[in-house]
Amino acid sequence: MNEHVSDEQLSLLLDSGLSLAAREAVLTHVRSCPACAERHDRLVELTATMRLAGGLDWTQQHTEATLARVRSSTSRRPQITARLQARDWSLPVAATLALAGISALFLGPFGVGNALLTAPASASGFLSLALPVSGHVVLLLAAAVALGCLAYPLSRSR
């Protein structure tokens, strides 16, 4: 096995639901992989706890109490706060970048682009006291850092 075993395979291992060859392959991987061995140990503990707990008598009152708790917890939090806490800023960041690009295209003929390009050059007199590089280089470096900071939340790497 080149990949890790799935939770389903670990569960089937505990329930004796695997064939002998599959069982041996899963056990071999669990013995050699610390991450899967830890997951297996947690699943063994959970299974033992569930088996020791016995059956649960679920009544209509349990259902109503659970639904009341869920409703009260969701009604307390406004939808805007819930969206902000989700912290998925990819769409607003992408929309802002697109809007900035479109505005730059439309405002370019009016000289706004020239003003932005000459601002670092005029600021280079101040920057030359601290940095021996031109303002354009500093602007490019700042833009690269800002773009990297904006793109980091957009990455979905694991």
Side-chain angles (χ1 to χ4, degrees):
M1 290 185 136
N2 292 336
E3 297 179 10
H4 295 289
V5 294
S6 67
D7 290 337
E8 182 181 357
Q9 289 172 315
L10 291 175
S11 180
L12 287 172
L13 176 67
L14 291 176
D15 294 336
S16 302
L18 293 174
S19 66
L20 290 177
R23 181 179 185 275
E24 189 57 37
V26 170
L27 284 174
T28 301
H29 180 80
V30 167
R31 287 184 192 121
S32 65
C33 178
C36 290
E38 193 262 329
R39 285 179 37 233
H40 178 260
D41 291 343
R42 283 190 287 146
L43 192 57
V44 167
E45 290 175 15
L46 176 66
T47 304
T49 302
M50 296 288 290
R51 288 182 181 160
L52 288 174
L56 178 66
D57 295 327
W58 193 263
T59 63
Q60 184 64 29
Q61 289 80 17
H62 288 108
T63 303
E64 291 169 2
T66 302
L67 289 174
R69 277 193 306 244
V70 169
R71 285 184 194 125
S72 68
S73 68
T74 56
S75 66
R76 280 187 245 150
R77 183 185 307 172
Q79 229 178 11
I80 295 172
T81 307
R83 285 184 186 169
L84 288 175
Q85 288 178 351
R87 293 186 182 153
D88 185 14
W89 293 93
S90 57
L91 183 60
V93 168
T96 303
L97 291 175
L99 186 62
I102 290 170
S103 351
L105 285 174
F106 285 120
L107 295 176
F110 298 113
V112 176
N114 287 336
L116 289 176
L117 288 176
T118 57
S122 61
S124 66
F126 296 116
L127 292 174
S128 64
L129 299 174
L131 300 171
V133 294
S134 73
H136 290 290
V137 174
V138 173
L139 179 67
L140 287 174
L141 290 174
V145 169
L147 185 61
C149 291
L150 289 173
Y152 179 74
L154 299 176
S155 70
R156 301 286 186 201
S157 60
R158 292 183 179 193

